[in-house]
Every structure is written in C-alpha cells, then in structure tokens.
Amino acid sequence: MIDSRNTGPVPTNPVAHWDVTLPDEAATGRLAMDLAAMLRPGDLVTLDGDLGAGKTTLARALIRELAGDPELEVPSPTFTLLQTYDLPRQRVVHADLYRLGDPSELDELGWSEQTDGAVTLVEWPERGGIAVLQPDRLEVHITLPTGGSETMRRLRLFGFGRLAGALFRMKSIRALIDQTGFGPAQRRHLQGDASSRSYERLIGPRRNAILMNAPRRPDGPAVRGGKPYSAIAHLAEDVKPFVAMARGLRERGFSAPAIYGGDLEAGLLIIEDLGDEGVLGGTPPVPLPERYEAAVDVLAALHVLDLPASLPVAPGIEHHIPTYDLAALLIEAELLLDWYLPHCGVSLAADARQSFRQLWAVALGPALAQKKVWVLRDYHSPNLMWLPNREGLARIGLLDFQDAVMGPPGYDLVSLGQDARIDVPESLELALLGRYAKARREADPTFDVRGFAASYAVMGAQRATKILGIFARLNHRDRKPAYLRHLPRIWNYLQRCLAFTDLEALASWYKDHVPAPEARPRFEAGVRAPRAAARPAAPAGAPPAPPGPTTDATPETPREPDPT
C-alpha cells in the first residue's frame, strides 16, 4: 500500500527524539541496522546508562552492521579507551571513557585527529564533558525497565543538528518496513548513484525487496527564466514519477519493479528486487549481445504503442510526463559550454555561445517533430537487469526511469548503443540499430528509417555533448576525477554522430571551438589502448550511421544524478 497522505516535513528543529523498547537481542540488532543506515562520516553517537545497561552490546551490534560483518571481533575499549576500525564505507571510532580521569586527557589520546571524519561511538560520554560533544550527534539513553525481562531495554534517542532530521526519517523508514511485512529483514546497503537517492536490499525470510530512499530534490538556484536547472531539464523532484512510470510500464507487459508500499511525501518506496544479473558479462565487463538484443526489442515494442502523457500515481494523484522540449535539450547541451570548455581551458565568446544555441535549435527540429514516446532517459547497462526466469520482453528488468519524458524514440536507443561507461562494439551498435528498424517496419511499413537515423544521430550528439559537460562537472565541482577517463569514449561517440550529413553545420562549430579531451589510456589486463576501429558492414535494414573511431576502457561504477 502506498501512503499518499502528507506525513509532514522533516522537522527543522535542532532536536528530535524517539522512545524505543527493545524486548530482546533481535530487536537490538534491528535498531543497529537502522542506525547504521542513518549514520554518515563525522557523526557522533553517545551511549549512556548504568553498568550492565547494554551500551557495549548496542555499540558492538552497530559496528558489525557498519562493517557488514556479523562475525567481526569488536572488543570492549574499556582499557584502551579508543578502538578504531577502517571499514569499507567509513572509519569508525569506538570509545569507552569510563576510566578517563579528566577531559584534558582526550588530547593525549589524539581525540580530534582520531575522530575527524569518522563515525564515533562514545560510551560514558559525560566523563569527556563538552570536549566530546558536537552539533551533529545522536544521544542514546538506555535504561533497564522495572519488572521487565532480563533482555528488555528502554531507549530514548535524541537527534541534534543533522541527526534530528535523520532520526525523524529513520522512524519513517522503520514504520514502512514493518508495514510492508519486511520487519524481520536484514538491511544491506547497495551501491547507488551520485544523487541524493540511496538504496538498500531488504533480505527477508520469504522474499527480498529494495528500499528506495529518495528525499525530495531541493530546488537549485534559478538559472534561466527564474527556473532552476532541474525544472528546465525536467528532472524528477520526488518519487511520484517513479511510481507512475513503474505502473505504466508493468501494465503494458514490461518488467518494471512492483511497488510493495511507500510513503510518497517522505520519498520512501519498497519495491520488487530484480536481482543482480545485468546485461554485461566477463572481466572487464562487456555487452552480452543476446541481452542487448532483448533490450532493443523492449524499446521497439514500447515505441509502437500509443503512450499517454499522464499516468495515475495514487487515488487523486496524477503524474503528467513532461515533454523533452527544446528548452530542456538546449540547457543540457550547454553543460558542454559551462563545464567541459573551461575544463579544456577554452573561453567562449558570447556570439559563439549564441551560434551554438541556434545551430542546436535547427538540428533538433526534425527529431522534436517525430511522434513522441516515453523516453526513459537512463536506458543503459547499469539500469537493465536480466531476468532469465521470465520470457520474451519480460526478461529485461527496467530501473531508474523517474526522469522519463515524452520525446524522440532515438534517445533511449542511442543511450544503449553508446554507453557512456562501457564500450559497445560498433558492430553490435549497428546490429542493434538494424534490429530496431526491422521491428519498427514490421509493425508499421511506413516507418521512416532515414528520419529515424537522423534522429538517432542528433540525439546521440546531444547526449554526448551533455555528458562531456556532466563528467567535467563531476571532476571540478564534485571532486570525482574518475569520470574523466570516460571523456575519450564520449568524444568518439560525438564525432561519430556529428559525421552524419544533416549535422554538417553543427560539426563545423565543434571543429572551430571544442578541443578533444586529453587522452590518458589505462593499460590494464584485458583493456586495450584507444585505437581507431574499422567500420564493419551494416546489417540488412540498419539505418545509416556515420563512421568513426571507437575506444575500449575500463567501466566506472558510480553514476551521475543527471540522466545520461
């Protein structure tokens, strides 16, 4: 069941509290799971209570959850005072200050250096005084209830600063997990994207599920016409578009995740777990042709349908799918001007920028005039799952479609055939194009292959242009230089698409103003240095595509929040 009621905003008060009764050790483990999911590097958790109240028991369970290792040895720091753990996702400091003689002794322990940027758990925090406390902290007060069983504990949790809102959200997540029948499930963090969304696998006794934690996207600064970038580019602000699109796709026979329950206002969903098997295989990963062909069949089948521009979310709530209009496509393309060109040390004159916009407006015109379909917008290998126990089109599981728009059909196909993070052999790309065109012509003999080829090229050029800007931005603004390794691949895609005859004027502008990225090939086992590739013969029925080089490089796992 999806809760469409307004559950209220996360409180802005600097303090939030939650009273919890733990009847047994299993309940203590569930609380540790919830806390581990909430905590971030730099957070402080203080634990106080009488001797034997269970401070160390909770701390030990929490450290094991943070480590993802239920067998991790967690000795009590009673005598050492400090115990540190370098875990995969963060560093943890466990302190027991019972034997601390004076707060000044913290300096001798190197307290500031040890706890800087770590998740810090402190037993007997009152012995350290104000030197231990910090604005973002969670206080856990543990008592033994009178007349209760030996295993029962009562806890009062107080969140301060960032952890006030985090504690409020933790309560909402636990309530949803319990309401959907996954209360006993183990929570396991999943590698997500670079956005504010996060994901966990709920491992239950009968079935698994995915917890999608997607707080409402805050508006950024106004960049044009009083609107932020996200509004102009039509990026989802909450989970309602995901729910609408998931249901719309499932109703048409496609394998989007089922929605088991959710809190729309809180941005929380529990959805079907489509597993871990994707459309790549091997080390390093390479496309598996059979699975890519099935993914193309999904697009061809989707694009022949008459697709509505509005879908229901919950009773009384509709999601209107935005149009992938000229304003959205242009502001995405301008990421090249705002981030990639400065990355290359290029300063662009105002008239050149204006010419860029005018050339793109002309180039995009024919694609925008085509019949609009649902553009899922992130239709590439990280978001396509392989479901071998299903048949036909249902073998492809679909993820990450909350930013879907109504737009040209070529966009999702080029997202698949020109993957930003992994090389798709050009021969496979051409085969996929031919397979798609054949399927569309079989469904509609009037399908315009030449027009689709032009749309494929222009949407591919727009997408590559945008991604060059996004990856440069990830390096400069977000300090994620690993994305720069993909720039040569994206550049080659761009050149391939700009070679299409209809884009001659735009190609000339790029030649005059946009330098190629600095090539820094990685020579690793199984990875070849970038090289020019001969163009294979196009399969029968394939739309024409311009020749161009291709590269091979190691794929990267993180994903940028903007659609690519």
Side-chain angles (χ1 to χ4, degrees):
M1 182 185 75
I2 291 183
D3 187 352
S4 60
R5 298 170 300 167
N6 189 334
T7 54
V10 172
T12 56
N13 293 334
V15 182
H17 78 275
W18 185 19
D19 292 332
V20 182
T21 298
L22 304 178
D24 50 33
E25 189 173 339
T28 301
R30 282 194 294 274
L31 178 64
M33 279 193 295
D34 294 345
L35 292 172
M38 177 183 74
L39 295 174
R40 302 289 179 267
D43 287 344
L44 168 69
V45 179
T46 66
L47 303 106
D48 72 65
D50 294 335
L51 285 170
K55 299 184 292 297
T56 301
T57 299
L58 179 57
R60 183 175 289 120
L62 179 50
I63 292 169
R64 286 172 174 164
E65 284 295 332
L66 291 167
D69 181 358
E71 304 300 325
L72 180 69
E73 184 178 354
V74 183
S76 171
T78 301
F79 295 100
T80 59
L81 300 188
L82 287 180
Q83 181 73 36
T84 61
Y85 301 85
D86 291 316
L87 304 180
R89 293 177 53 206
Q90 64 265 299
R91 190 165 54 86
V92 174
V93 175
H94 181 197
D96 184 333
L97 303 185
Y98 182 74
R99 296 177 180 275
L100 192 72
D102 186 89
S104 62
E105 295 176 14
L106 291 172
D107 291 336
E108 299 175 15
L109 295 172
W111 180 264
S112 297
E113 294 79 9
Q114 293 280 0
T115 60
D116 184 35
V119 172
T120 304
L121 314 179
V122 183
E123 299 180 43
W124 302 96
E126 63 274 15
R127 301 295 179 93
I130 61 172
V132 170
L133 301 183
Q134 61 187 45
D136 294 328
R137 70 183 186 277
L138 178 72
E139 294 182 358
V140 181
H141 306 278
I142 308 175
T143 59
L144 299 171
T146 303
S149 68
E150 291 184 1
T151 60
M152 181 176 289
R153 300 291 186 271
R154 285 192 180 138
L155 280 68
R156 172 160 283 193
L157 289 73
F158 288 92
F160 295 82
R162 186 196 76 80
L163 287 169
L167 180 61
F168 181 88
R169 190 165 190 82
M170 188 181 89
K171 292 172 61 178
S172 299
I173 291 172
R174 172 46 59 187
L176 179 61
I177 291 174
D178 291 343
Q179 289 166 8
T180 50
F182 287 94
Q186 298 292 309
R187 297 174 63 176
R188 292 293 177 262
H189 172 78
L190 294 176
Q191 177 66 43
D193 54 25
S195 74
S196 58
R197 294 188 298 271
S198 63
Y199 301 89
E200 295 177 43
R201 173 164 282 130
L202 305 179
I203 304 173
R206 291 182 298 132
R207 63 177 178 176
N208 296 346
I210 300 296
L211 168 64
M212 180 176 174
N213 185 349
R216 183 177 177 84
R217 180 197 297 267
D219 286 337
V223 295
R224 184 167 300 157
K227 294 182 179 180
Y229 175 90
S230 59
I232 300 170
H234 306 309
L235 303 181
E237 295 182 346
D238 54 38
V239 298
K240 297 184 185 72
F242 183 93
V243 173
M245 292 303 303
R247 288 179 168 170
L249 289 164
R250 287 176 59 81
E251 287 171 357
R252 289 158 180 81
F254 302 105
S255 289
I259 310 292
Y260 297 145
D263 185 331
L264 297 181
E265 291 304 321
L268 299 170
L269 296 175
I270 293 182
I271 64 177
E272 181 183 8
D273 183 0
L274 298 183
D276 295 314
E277 191 172 358
V279 295
L280 306 176
T283 304
V286 296
L288 297 174
E290 176 195 5
R291 301 181 185 187
Y292 269 65
E293 290 168 358
V296 166
D297 293 345
V298 167
L299 289 179
L302 178 65
H303 295 169
V304 300
L305 302 176
D306 289 324
L307 298 166
S310 184
L311 291 168
V313 178
I317 302 176
E318 287 278 319
H319 170 58
H320 300 284
I321 306 172
T323 299
Y324 211 4
D325 53 21
L326 182 61
L329 291 162
L330 284 180
I331 201 165
E332 288 180 338
E334 287 179 79
L335 292 173
L336 176 109
L337 313 184
D338 297 334
W339 295 96
Y340 178 74
L341 290 186
H343 167 76
C344 298
V346 174
S347 179
L348 196 67
D351 60 340
R353 187 182 186 102
Q354 181 63 23
S355 175
F356 176 88
R357 288 177 54 83
Q358 291 171 347
L359 288 168
W360 267 114
V362 172
L364 289 164
L368 291 173
Q370 290 182 332
K371 176 187 173 182
K372 293 178 174 55
V373 301
W374 290 351
V375 177
L376 304 186
R377 219 171 179 185
D378 269 323
Y379 198 83
H380 53 177
S381 57
N383 299 325
L384 301 175
M385 309 310 298
W386 182 248
L387 308 174
N389 294 328
R390 302 185 187 184
E391 296 182 356
L393 300 177
R395 293 177 299 168
I396 294 293
L398 305 175
L399 301 174
D400 206 2
F401 39 72
Q402 62 277 342
D403 293 321
V405 287
M406 301 292 297
Y411 187 91
D412 279 347
L413 188 61
V414 82
S415 296
L416 181 69
Q418 296 186 358
D419 194 303
R421 295 164 183 80
I422 194 166
D423 288 310
V424 179
E426 191 176 7
S427 58
L428 178 58
E429 181 188 0
L430 292 172
L432 298 177
L433 278 164
R435 187 180 184 90
Y436 177 90
K438 183 174 184 246
R440 291 296 306 270
R441 283 195 305 202
E442 287 176 350
D444 177 8
T446 67
F447 176 70
D448 181 6
V449 175
R450 176 62 172 73
F452 178 77
S455 174
Y456 182 93
V458 73
M459 298 314 296
Q462 188 273 350
R463 181 175 175 274
T465 296
K466 167 178 63 176
I467 297 173
L468 287 174
I470 288 173
F471 285 1
R473 182 179 68 187
L474 280 166
N475 173 59
H476 290 280
R477 187 191 70 184
D478 302 331
R479 299 182 180 180
K480 296 178 179 179
Y483 286 89
L484 295 181
R485 74 180 69 179
H486 304 303
L487 293 184
R489 179 189 299 112
I490 307 304
W491 178 261
N492 289 335
Y493 290 154
L494 176 62
Q495 300 310 305
R496 186 184 303 171
C497 292
L498 288 176
F500 196 74
T501 54
D502 292 10
L503 301 179
E504 183 178 355
L506 196 58
S508 178
W509 188 98
Y510 277 75
K511 182 178 179 181
D512 292 340
H513 298 95
V514 186
E518 183 177 344
R520 294 175 182 170
R522 292 167 52 106
F523 295 96
E524 298 178 349
V527 182
R528 291 173 291 163
R531 61 174 177 80
R535 177 183 176 87
T550 185
T551 62
D552 296 290
T554 304
E556 184 69 21
T557 51
R559 293 198 306 108
E560 156 68 332
D562 292 335
T564 55

